[in-house]
Amino acid sequence: MEQDKKSLGQFINEKKVLILEIIIVALITAYMLRGTYPSLILCFICINTIAVTGLDILFGYTGQVSFGHAGFYAIGAYTSSILSIKLGIPVVISMIIAALVSMFFGFVIAIPASKLVKHFLSLLTIAFGNMVYIFLSVTKGLTNGFSGILNIPNLNLFGFRFKSNQSYFFLFAAVAILVLIGKKRLINSRFGRALIAVRENPHAAAGMGINVKYYKVMAFALSALLTGLAGAFYAHLIGFISPDGFNNNQSNVFMTMLLFGGIASSFGPLIGSTILTVVTEVMQGFVRYQMLLYAIFILLVLFCMPNGVSGVIANVKARIAKRKGKKVEPRA
């Protein structure tokens, strides 16, 4: 009886802490939404979270390294913009098509990528990102080259027109939350366990009857889908895109966010996107040294936090639980 009372009291205390955390986050978000610029930063955090979650499925849970995700990001942004401007397709539909087009290119790249490992795979993805960047730069008739695409229309959903950053934030936040929840459910499913098996040892996974190539291709395609969707969101939020925003530096930013937040973790993409997006905006006066700062972040993570910020949080929770005599489940 006393044990039941103790468990019930502990459950109530945990719920109180959770409710308090939600209230604090809600108050901070409400305060930031008072201004246009802070709400824009929140939108960037949500967009980056979606893109980095896609990269986490590929790299964190399947072990396939990609330094060319800016290519999928660009495909999503340009496809949605061109469809909505030149063909007059509704923005919602153009975004969905853009995500599917990115997914198609993910399939195309994944077929040769599934046979490569380590630095060979990295070189392939870098080449893909450069090819997309060059294509966007030279096709002036379709993409306007370095002049970019102007006056990208706002999203119109069920008669409601998204004009302000605040309105966009609520949409992007809802999608980001759904993406994080979907990733969690995916990883806990049979499909997710197969991805982890492929990451740990592809030869052993093949020996157990897992189609390694199939799961690698599907992970690549799903990752491209989410990154392309994030690119479409970015284009319609900003209203202007040019090739300069989709070079290799953007791919490095996504990878840095993932490593800093923590790979193969539930909230790693959110943590990394939030911290580095804010840091990037604060350090706007040091644009020349942006890549140097990201390199320093990567070195700090590799030497001091190999599992990222989420790994540090997990270690702290494990130590607290150990002191209380509880068992802690290992990370995937």
Side-chain angles (χ1 to χ4, degrees):
M1 190 72 178
E2 292 180 0
Q3 180 103 16
D4 293 339
K5 289 182 179 179
K6 186 177 180 181
S7 300
L8 180 60
Q10 185 179 357
F11 175 77
I12 293 173
N13 289 332
E14 290 177 355
K15 287 296 182 182
K16 287 181 178 178
V17 171
L18 179 61
I19 293 172
L20 181 61
E21 290 176 350
I22 294 174
I23 292 174
I24 292 173
V25 171
L27 290 175
I28 294 173
T29 303
Y31 176 77
M32 293 186 71
L33 285 174
R34 293 175 61 190
T36 301
Y37 181 68
S39 58
L40 180 64
I41 303 303
L42 290 173
C43 290
F44 285 152
I45 290 172
C46 295
I47 291 172
N48 290 332
T49 299
I50 296 170
V52 176
T53 300
L55 183 59
D56 191 29
I57 293 173
L58 181 66
F59 179 48
Y61 291 98
T62 318
Q64 300 183 88
V65 182
S66 174
F67 286 99
H69 257 51
F72 300 119
Y73 195 58
I75 290 171
Y78 272 87
T79 301
S80 185
S81 301
I82 292 171
L83 290 177
S84 59
I85 293 175
K86 296 189 176 183
L87 298 182
I89 296 176
V91 175
V92 176
I93 299 176
S94 68
M95 283 181 172
I96 296 173
I97 295 174
L100 294 176
V101 170
S102 298
M103 185 178 185
F104 169 77
F105 278 96
F107 271 117
V108 173
I109 298 300
I111 293 173
S114 63
K115 301 178 181 180
L116 302 175
V117 294
K118 298 180 181 178
H119 55 284
F120 297 108
L121 178 58
S122 301
L123 290 174
L124 174 64
T125 56
I126 291 172
F128 168 73
N130 286 332
M131 289 172 61
V132 173
Y133 175 77
I134 293 172
F135 177 81
L136 298 177
S137 303
V138 299
T139 53
K140 296 183 179 179
L142 182 65
T143 65
N144 294 333
F146 283 104
S147 298
I149 299 179
L150 294 165
N151 301 321
I152 300 173
N154 292 323
L155 174 64
N156 192 326
L157 186 62
F158 302 117
F160 177 78
R161 193 172 185 81
F162 291 78
K163 295 181 179 180
S164 64
N165 295 333
Q166 289 88 344
S167 60
Y168 269 113
F169 164 71
F170 289 111
L171 172 65
F172 295 164
V175 175
I177 291 170
L178 290 175
V179 167
L180 290 173
I181 294 174
K183 186 194 78 168
K184 182 69 174 178
R185 293 180 65 87
L186 178 71
I187 298 306
N188 291 334
S189 68
R190 181 180 178 183
F191 183 89
R193 290 192 292 271
L195 293 182
I196 296 173
V198 171
R199 179 194 68 188
E200 295 300 323
N201 193 324
H203 298 292
M208 292 187 295
I210 296 175
N211 190 334
V212 175
K213 183 177 180 179
Y214 168 79
Y215 284 101
K216 283 187 174 182
V217 171
M218 290 302 296
F220 223 113
L222 182 58
S223 178
L225 173 73
L226 293 177
T227 308
L229 179 62
F233 283 167
Y234 172 80
H236 291 280
L237 170 68
I238 300 301
F240 167 76
I241 53 175
S242 68
D244 290 331
F246 306 98
N247 53 26
N248 277 335
N249 289 344
Q250 186 61 53
S251 297
N252 296 334
V253 169
F254 288 150
M255 181 59 72
T256 307
M257 288 178 175
L258 178 58
L259 292 174
F260 189 76
I263 63 173
S265 61
S266 299
F267 297 102
L270 176 60
I271 295 172
S273 299
T274 301
I275 295 176
L276 289 185
T277 300
V278 174
V279 168
T280 301
E281 293 301 320
V282 172
M283 305 288 288
Q284 280 294 333
F286 303 93
V287 177
R288 290 184 178 180
Y289 307 101
Q290 185 177 4
M291 285 299 104
L292 175 62
L293 293 173
Y294 282 129
I296 293 173
F297 268 116
I298 292 177
L299 289 175
L300 287 174
V301 169
L302 291 176
F303 288 103
C304 304
M305 298 184 298
N307 293 321
V309 176
S310 61
V312 174
I313 296 173
N315 290 335
V316 172
K317 288 184 177 180
R319 290 179 181 178
I320 295 173
K322 188 176 180 180
R323 290 180 181 178
K324 294 181 178 180
K326 297 179 182 179
K327 293 183 180 180
V328 180
E329 296 181 0
R331 287 179 59 188

